[in-house]
Amino acid sequence: MKLSEYVEYDATGLGSLVHAGEVTPLELTRLAREAHDEVNPRINAVIEFYEDAETVAGANGGLFHGVPFLRKDIGATEAGRLQEKGSRLFKGCRPDTDSYFFRRAREAGLRTLGRTTTPELGSTVMTETFLQGITGNPWDLERSAGGSSGGAAAAVAAGITPIAHGSDGGGSIRIPASWCGLVALNPSRGRVSGGPNSQDASYGRSREFVLCRTVRDMAAALDVFSGPHAGDPFIIVQPNRPYLEELSQPLALCASGWRERVGARSNSSRKSCTLSGGRPHFSRKWGI
């Protein structure tokens, strides 16, 4: 697979190719590294692409078999990996416990290859810190990617990975997703466990989830990460069927309208930096 092909797939599509034997998890990891090396120096979205990324473990199967994934540098933890929370106060911090979130990620076949930028302690909607610098928006490098999951949003929008971890208590997934042209939501309280060490984050207001590029990836991610664990303080009704199946259900008729041009203006003078289709087309611009 070429990089120009890799960046056109969503996470579900890449997982299907691995299941079919058309590409291997190792090939996808190498492509993610190549994409990172091309784009990240311009957008500063990924703090660390793991040196041992090519040997990162994941289930030999699952909805996202072999799909590259990134972890926001605050919230859900990976045992032994750096988590500095965008703050000099936490420089060098390495949690010793895997979160339930990343246990589920591995079981679903995701390969977590690195960590993304966040504002200090996830406290603002602009991803810029003394520790890690400023994260740019791949659509327009002179604008912000938002926050606090700004590094995750910029990485996915630029085509480094098709899906990435984020967290949200007051818009920290939704804001950068909207600014970077992605699909995202903050799941209902009790839908995704924060355990074992952060099951009641912000009194249940803050939750772990993902940012991605397609609705089917969002539905698949809900299937992967939803479900209770021992010690969870909140109980929520579980779905009657997988969220992916909901995509094939008929919709009620509704009235809709569309205005083709509302104050549109050319953005040809803007500097953009992405690798993938459906967004500013890095691959066409630089011939990747």
Side-chain angles (χ1 to χ4, degrees):
M1 176 181 281
K2 298 178 181 177
L3 181 57
S4 58
E5 297 170 321
Y6 164 79
V7 298
E8 297 294 340
Y9 282 91
D10 65 359
T12 304
L14 289 177
S16 297
L17 291 177
V18 174
H19 279 294
E22 296 182 32
V23 67
T24 67
L26 179 57
E27 287 179 84
L28 295 183
T29 296
R30 288 172 174 166
L31 286 163
R33 186 182 290 280
E34 183 181 352
H36 163 269
D37 292 347
E38 288 284 351
V39 175
N40 198 62
R42 298 170 176 85
I43 60 174
N44 187 38
V46 179
I47 312 159
E48 176 188 11
F49 199 100
Y50 298 151
E51 290 185 5
D52 62 344
E54 284 76 8
T55 62
V56 163
N60 187 25
L63 284 173
F64 295 128
H65 186 195
V67 174
F69 193 54
L70 293 167
R71 171 175 55 86
K72 181 181 177 181
D73 198 32
I74 194 171
T77 57
E78 290 181 278
R81 298 288 192 183
L82 284 170
Q83 187 185 70
E84 298 174 316
K85 307 177 192 290
S87 174
R88 290 172 290 182
L89 294 172
F90 288 89
K91 190 170 176 61
C93 178
R94 293 181 185 271
D96 57 8
T97 305
D98 270 332
S99 61
Y100 295 148
F101 184 92
F102 277 97
R103 293 179 197 178
R104 283 177 173 264
R106 281 194 294 273
E107 291 168 1
L110 288 164
R111 267 57 171 178
T112 304
L113 308 180
R115 56 193 177 108
T116 60
T117 56
T118 181
E120 188 163 9
L121 306 180
S123 58
T124 74
V125 296
M126 305 290 184
T127 301
E128 46 192 65
T129 66
F130 287 113
L131 181 63
Q132 297 157 352
I134 297 172
T135 297
N137 190 318
W139 288 86
D140 182 347
L141 296 177
E142 297 179 358
R143 298 182 184 272
S144 174
S148 63
S149 305
V156 173
I160 297 174
T161 62
I163 188 170
H165 161 245
S167 56
D168 191 319
S172 287
I173 283 176
R174 293 160 289 170
I175 291 169
S178 66
W179 290 13
C180 292
L182 303 177
V183 179
L185 58 82
N186 184 3
S188 300
R189 186 175 68 176
R191 183 68 65 206
V192 178
S193 176
N197 293 331
S198 188
Q199 288 161 309
D200 194 14
S202 303
Y203 303 101
R205 185 170 56 87
S206 182
R207 287 170 287 280
E208 311 293 328
F209 200 46
V210 302
L211 301 87
C212 55
R213 300 201 305 251
T214 64
V215 173
R216 71 173 181 172
D217 277 359
M218 184 63 57
L222 280 169
D223 288 332
V224 165
F225 294 107
S226 295
H229 286 265
D232 285 353
F234 308 109
I235 298 173
I236 191 170
V237 175
Q238 298 303 305
N240 294 323
R241 54 179 174 253
Y243 288 99
L244 269 175
E245 290 186 13
E246 295 291 347
L247 300 184
S248 63
Q249 301 304 306
L251 297 174
L253 293 175
C254 63
S256 63
W258 175 260
R259 291 191 67 180
E260 189 167 321
R261 184 180 180 87
V262 182
R265 63 188 179 91
S266 170
N267 60 4
S268 59
S269 63
R270 297 182 181 181
K271 297 177 182 178
S272 64
C273 186
T274 73
L275 286 157
S276 47
R279 295 164 305 286
H281 218 306
F282 187 99
S283 55
R284 290 174 187 161
K285 185 174 180 181
W286 278 292
I288 293 175

